[in-house]
Amino acid sequence: MLERPRTGIAMPLGAQADALLRRTVGAARQNAGAVPFAIAGVVTWTFVVALLKMRFPQ
């Protein structure tokens, strides 16, 4: 998911985001009623990835 090495909270948070994305997209493929949740999952995943890639000054 990220090019730079993961440390601290980034690794488990990225793993959770990936799991959320897989589950929501899988549910949407099986049931059309889950499509809004899949869209929300993709938006959440994108937001988490963007936050993990940002570098904050220390």
Side-chain angles (χ1 to χ4, degrees), residues 12-28:
L13 188 57
Q16 287 294 323
D18 288 344
L20 171 68
L21 182 64
R22 283 192 304 276
R23 286 193 307 263
T24 55
V25 170

Side-chain angles (χ1 to χ4, degrees), residues 20-42:
L20 171 68
L21 182 64
R22 283 192 304 276
R23 286 193 307 263
T24 55
V25 170
R29 287 183 179 156
Q30 294 177 0
N31 183 353
V35 170
F37 296 105
I39 293 169
V42 170

Side-chain angles (χ1 to χ4, degrees), residues 38-56:
I39 293 169
V42 170
V43 169
T44 302
W45 183 86
T46 304
F47 181 68
V48 169
V49 170
L51 287 177
L52 291 174
K53 287 189 176 185
M54 291 176 71
R55 293 185 185 199
F56 295 101

